[in-house]
Amino acid sequence: MAASGRPATPALPADIEPAELPADAIEVGRIADAWGVKGWFRVLPHSADPQALFSTKRWYLQPSERGAKTFSGTVLLRVRESKDHSDSVVARADGVEDRAVAELLKGARVFVPRSAFPTAAQDEFYWVDLLGLDVVNREGLALGRVKELLSTGPQTVLVIEYEEEGKPAERMIPFVAAYVDGVDLPARRITVDWQADY
């Protein structure tokens, strides 16, 4: 017991070491809870296709913004194994040998370097790469900048932010070939067949 009469907060094992978050780190999921009794834990990916989680064995964790914190700063988790499980991913890592340690990771935010993502196929893009791109129509009229993407089931929708009469506004454009002529990542621009008054 600690001097205050409360039990001491359990600490992460020494082989889960503090680390610097890579400059190109992208948050790809969060740890939901322990899974089983042998140190496995369940991760809820932010994407329906969790390939970024499988692309590297080095995950960087930060504590949840809410709730109890069992560590501070950024730690490096060396993943031994990860696999799809229902609508989540289950994994095990060095230093996480039993359920008690896995429970200490609950709520942690999982980051991986963008440079570790698998290469996207032709005409496929990671959502994170589209955020902040300028959107122009075929006539060269600026329609705004990509603020976020929404998955509506059968298609993805670009949420574009722009200003109208000095006030922030949004428009939505389906991210489908019928409306999107091209994505130029180096130029940070998306060209669309869309008018400002749609």
Side-chain angles (χ1 to χ4, degrees):
M1 287 256 196
S4 67
R6 287 185 307 225
T9 303
L12 293 177
D15 46 357
I16 299 178
E17 62 208 50
E20 286 288 321
L21 192 66
D24 66 340
I26 304 293
E27 186 173 347
V28 295
R30 70 177 177 80
I31 297 178
D33 49 31
W35 188 73
V37 296
K38 296 185 177 178
W40 286 78
F41 49 90
R42 192 167 64 92
V43 180
L44 299 176
H46 291 330
S47 168
D49 182 6
Q51 289 309 307
L53 284 166
F54 301 129
S55 66
T56 179
K57 296 290 187 189
R58 296 168 62 91
W59 295 358
Y60 295 84
L61 303 185
Q62 289 188 340
S64 170
E65 290 131 339
R66 296 185 304 254
K69 302 202 179 356
T70 55
F71 66 96
S72 60
T74 303
V75 297
L76 172 62
L77 200 63
R78 297 178 194 280
V79 177
R80 288 189 208 154
E81 190 177 351
S82 57
K83 57 189 177 183
D84 271 312
H85 178 72
S86 188
D87 59 349
S88 62
V89 169
V90 292
R92 63 189 186 107
D94 291 349
V96 186
E97 304 301 333
D98 59 37
R99 185 175 183 87
V101 176
E103 286 175 345
L104 295 176
L105 303 177
K106 184 175 181 174
R109 301 160 63 205
V110 181
F111 296 79
V112 299
R114 171 63 185 89
S115 55
F117 283 26
T119 303
Q122 179 83 21
D123 293 328
E124 286 187 359
F125 304 93
Y126 286 107
W127 283 21
V128 68
D129 294 337
L130 302 177
L131 296 176
L133 296 191
D134 293 317
V135 180
V136 298
N137 67 10
R138 290 176 173 176
E139 293 76 37
L141 178 68
L143 298 176
R145 182 165 287 156
V146 179
K147 175 183 173 185
E148 63 179 311
L149 292 98
L150 299 175
S151 178
T152 62
Q155 66 189 17
T156 298
V157 175
L158 298 169
V159 179
I160 314 297
E161 61 183 352
Y162 66 100
E163 265 193 26
E164 187 168 50
E165 297 173 10
K167 295 181 181 164
E170 289 182 352
R171 62 172 49 99
M172 297 188 184
I173 303 174
F175 191 64
V176 294
Y179 301 114
V180 177
D181 291 339
V183 176
D184 187 340
L185 290 177
R188 300 198 48 76
R189 184 173 57 243
I190 299 173
T191 305
V192 295
D193 182 12
W194 199 264
Q195 296 302 318
D197 57 357
Y198 284 4

